[in-house]
């Protein structure tokens, strides 16, 4: 695989390993604590990320060589790879869901970025929107969902039926606005060590994400408003730049552990933000020389 494609695959896996390394993230696995995920630890996430290397080679190869004009056909093909990748991930994690959301979203972004390198007149968001056009209408087709036995409905499907929210599919179909308009600008503005920058960026994402993973854990939708207020409070206190911000985050970490709350959706959006940060050279200066700037 030539250098540009190999770098793209590498950046996807780096983004997954960087995300799980950020500490302390409320409600999530990091190197210090598994949080409300007794079935996971940081090593399982590393194994999971590395198990997806072949999948990202497939998604990049697909994006580099796709020739049809209808990009929903490119996503259709990607999805067959993604379904296989989910099985590979579950094999590597002994059935634990470490990166299900990331298999979907990072697969889409790596494929779209590969396609953009070959079609530089298009921007990444436009390509993603063309790939996922009609996704929620087809995935959330009411007839289809009502025909499914209730125990087979996924968390996202249940929450769509219950609250009408579209979760990861809605975010993806809209071209990942939380990543492009919140995460990446926050990363650009962030200051301090890489750990500080990624923590503050993560909390900017939490403040704007309707996280279906959190709703599933809490069993109620209004937990989203509480999470938004908490993230905004943390940022008002100065985030990682002040002792007050750091103390507040430590308390949030404890609270999410006690409540068994998970911010998996926000974590997946952090993975995507890191990926774009690596591609644009706004994270780790050596990336400034990377080709294929978005
Ligand atoms: C769409 C996906 C994520 C499945 O969605 P599903 O309903 O099973 O899960 P759910 O909607 O609960 O979301 C899955 C994960 O997305 C993340 N997430 C939740 N909310 C959000 C949000 N607002 N923004 C971004 N990510 C979110 C969380 O980590 C969550 O665990 C994808 O796995 C899928 O399409 N699966 C079907 C098989 C397939 O096609 N796989 C390959 C896809 S390339
Ligand atoms: N650092 C992280 N720690 C925990 N989860 C993460 C992390 N990064 C991303 N995630 C995502 O968040 C979700 C984890 O939440 P959760 O454990 O509730 O998922 P689940 O396996 O679907 O549900 P359950 O474990 O209750 O059966 C996964 O989809 C995972 O992809």
């Amino acid at each position: 695989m030539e250098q540009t494609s190999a770098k793209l695959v590498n950046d996807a896996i780096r983004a997954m390993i960087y995300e799980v390394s950020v500490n302390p993230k409320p409600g999530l696995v990091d190197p210090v604590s598994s949080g409300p995920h007794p079935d996971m630890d940081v090593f399982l996430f590393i194994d999971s990320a590395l198990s997806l290397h072949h999948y990202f080679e497939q998604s990049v190869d697909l994006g580099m060589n796709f020739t049809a004009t209808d990009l929903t056909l490119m996503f259709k093909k990607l999805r067959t790879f993604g379904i296989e990748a989910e099985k590979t991930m579950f094999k590597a994690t002994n059935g634990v869901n470490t990166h299900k959301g990331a298999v979907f979203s990072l697969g889409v972004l790596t494929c779209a970025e590969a396609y953009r390198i070959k079609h530089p007149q298009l921007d990444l968001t436009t390509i993603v929107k063309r790939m996922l056009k009609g996704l929620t209408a087809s995935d959330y087709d009411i007839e289809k969902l009502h025909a499914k036995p209730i125990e087979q409905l996924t968390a996202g499907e249940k929450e769509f039926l219950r609250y009408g929210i579209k979760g990861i599919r809605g975010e993806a179909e809209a071209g990942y606005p939380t990543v492009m308009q919140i995460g990446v600008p926050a990363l650009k503005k962030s200051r301090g060590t890489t750990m500080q920058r990624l923590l503050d960026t993560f909390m900017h994402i939490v403040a704007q994400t309707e996280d279906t993973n959190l709703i599933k854990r809490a069993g109620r939708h209004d937990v989203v408003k509480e999470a938004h207020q908490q993230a905004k409070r943390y940022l008002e206190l100065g985030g990682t730049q002040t002792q007050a911000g750091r103390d507040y985050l430590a308390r949030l970490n404890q609270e999410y552990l006690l409540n068994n709350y998970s911010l998996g959706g926000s974590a997946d959006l952090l993975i995507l933000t890191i990926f774009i940060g690596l591609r644009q050279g706004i994270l780790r200066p050596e990336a400034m020389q990377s080709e294929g700037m978005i």
Side-chain angles (χ1 to χ4, degrees):
M1 170 172 260
E2 39 93 26
Q3 210 263 339
T4 306
S5 302
K7 176 89 177 55
L8 201 36
V9 170
N10 201 36
D11 284 344
I13 293 176
R14 270 172 96 190
M16 296 170 97
I17 296 175
Y18 277 31
E19 178 274 323
V20 73
S21 307
V22 176
N23 158 65
K25 292 189 302 283
L28 292 166
V29 172
D30 61 43
V32 171
S33 145
S34 292
H37 300 276
D39 55 346
M40 313 180 187
D41 63 13
V42 62
F43 306 105
L44 199 71
F45 271 84
I46 293 169
D47 292 346
S48 171
L50 296 176
S51 79
L52 295 168
H53 186 273
H54 177 57
Y55 167 58
F56 291 123
E57 284 184 326
Q58 289 177 304
S59 73
V60 167
D61 184 54
L62 175 62
M64 288 278 181
N65 299 297
F66 192 76
T67 52
T69 43
D70 179 358
L71 295 190
T72 63
L73 301 176
M74 186 160 81
F75 174 63
K76 206 159 179 292
K77 182 66 185 163
L78 175 68
R79 219 166 192 182
T80 64
F81 297 149
I83 290 170
E84 283 314 302
E86 271 179 28
K87 291 178 191 150
T88 305
M89 175 200 82
F90 280 120
K91 220 180 282 160
T93 63
N94 207 11
V96 173
N97 167 18
T98 42
H99 285 124
K100 188 175 168 194
V103 164
F104 174 75
S105 291
L106 204 47
V108 167
L109 278 201
T110 48
C111 184
E113 172 57 1
Y115 187 84
R116 193 200 59 77
I117 290 172
K118 293 290 177 154
H119 305 81
Q121 76 282 12
L122 292 172
D123 67 80
L124 192 67
T125 303
T126 302
I127 296 167
V128 170
K129 284 179 170 177
R130 288 188 188 171
M131 285 172 72
L132 301 180
K133 191 162 172 287
L135 175 73
T136 53
S138 69
D139 273 24
Y140 288 144
D141 174 84
I142 290 292
E143 299 299 308
K144 199 164 79 175
L145 291 182
H146 283 147
K148 244 177 143 179
I150 186 104
E151 64 280 1
Q152 282 179 24
L153 285 174
T154 64
E157 290 164 342
K158 279 183 196 142
E159 283 166 26
F160 173 72
L161 290 171
R162 191 167 170 197
Y163 308 110
I165 53 176
K166 297 181 175 177
I168 189 172
R169 293 172 174 89
E171 175 74 21
E173 193 177 45
Y176 293 102
T178 308
V179 174
M180 307 300 182
Q181 295 159 27
I182 307 294
V184 173
L187 180 60
K188 279 190 183 138
K189 282 203 296 281
S190 65
R191 291 288 168 272
T193 62
T194 300
M195 188 67 88
Q196 285 181 294
R197 296 184 62 196
L198 293 182
L199 260 177
D200 288 342
T201 300
F202 175 63
M203 295 303 277
H204 276 284
I205 291 168
V206 172
Q208 307 276 345
T209 296
E210 186 174 48
D211 194 322
T212 62
N213 187 230
L214 174 62
I215 296 167
K216 178 195 69 172
R217 287 292 187 100
R220 58 192 174 87
H221 185 268
D222 58 2
V223 68
V224 170
K225 195 164 72 283
E226 292 161 17
H228 290 181
Q229 285 159 352
Q230 289 167 333
K232 284 172 187 152
R233 179 74 186 124
Y234 163 79
L235 295 165
E236 278 160 14
L237 287 170
T240 58
Q241 305 296 324
T242 64
Q243 193 55 49
R246 292 191 292 270
D247 291 348
Y248 185 76
L249 188 60
R251 286 201 302 277
L252 270 192
N253 220 356
Q254 280 311 315
E255 186 183 321
Y256 274 62
L257 183 58
L258 285 173
N259 295 337
N260 197 40
Y261 287 174
S262 169
L263 289 168
S266 310
D268 287 346
L269 295 177
L270 178 62
I271 292 174
L272 305 185
T273 300
I274 293 170
F275 173 71
I276 291 189
L278 292 170
R279 299 301 299 168
Q280 288 186 347
I282 51 177
L283 187 63
R284 317 300 285 171
E286 75 277 8
M288 291 304 283
Q289 289 79 46
S290 77
E291 308 139 53
M293 304 275 275
I294 294 177

